Amino acid sequence: MASKAALKSKMEAKLELAQAKLATTKARAKVAAADARIDLAKRTGEMERGLKTAQAKLKRAGRAGERRIEQLKGDAQGAWKSLSAAVKKSVRTVAKKAAAVEQAVERKIAAARKPVKKAVAKKTASKTKARR
């Protein structure tokens, strides 16, 4: 039968391992969040360029003659569609990355809790046996 000190040491080691896994998970979440911020900044830049293009085309439409209006109207609509698509894609991408990070963190937290739950269950079981 293992000594009380050895069992305590084993449980402490398992707790340290769980803490290390949690720290690793937090670090991975920070990396994923940073990746999402970088991607968001890139997509925001794309959207800003699209918006400037649309604004420039609108300005040209205001100065254009009647014949040019239809062509500029088509150009402006194309720019608007492009801008709308970029916004939608950006929102979807950021949402997917956030969901993936959240799921990964939840899995890691659950995995880190398993050794702690086992250690607590063993300790409870050994206390119950000792009382009998």
Side-chain angles (χ1 to χ4, degrees):
M1 181 157 181
S3 70
K4 180 180 177 181
L7 287 173
K8 182 180 177 189
S9 177
K10 183 178 178 180
M11 284 192 289
E12 287 172 349
K14 284 185 176 187
L15 286 173
E16 287 176 19
L17 180 61
Q19 287 173 336
K21 285 181 181 180
L22 182 58
T24 301
T25 300
K26 286 180 180 181
R28 286 183 179 156
K30 284 182 183 179
V31 169
D35 285 344
R37 281 192 300 275
I38 290 167
D39 188 51
L40 181 60
K42 176 184 163 192
R43 293 188 189 284
T44 301
E46 290 171 1
M47 288 185 282
E48 287 173 348
R49 287 188 295 278
L51 183 60
K52 285 180 183 178
T53 301
Q55 287 171 337
K57 289 183 181 194
L58 181 61
K59 223 180 221 183
R60 276 187 265 150
R63 292 183 301 216
E66 283 298 316
R67 288 181 284 170
R68 268 291 275 144
I69 292 291
E70 286 304 313
Q71 181 184 359
L72 290 173
K73 181 181 171 185
D75 289 349
Q77 287 174 341
W80 180 253
K81 284 181 183 178
S82 176
L83 178 62
S84 295
V87 169
K88 288 176 185 176
K89 184 176 180 181
S90 182
V91 168
R92 279 193 311 268
T93 301
V94 170
K96 282 181 184 179
K97 286 186 178 190
V101 167
E102 187 176 310
Q103 289 173 352
V105 168
E106 289 298 322
R107 283 192 305 269
K108 291 293 183 177
I109 289 172
R113 286 182 180 156
K114 284 181 183 179
V116 174
K117 285 182 180 180
K118 284 183 180 179
V120 169
K122 278 186 178 181
K123 189 172 184 178
T124 304
S126 65
K127 282 184 180 181
T128 305
K129 285 182 182 178
R131 288 182 186 163
R132 290 184 189 173

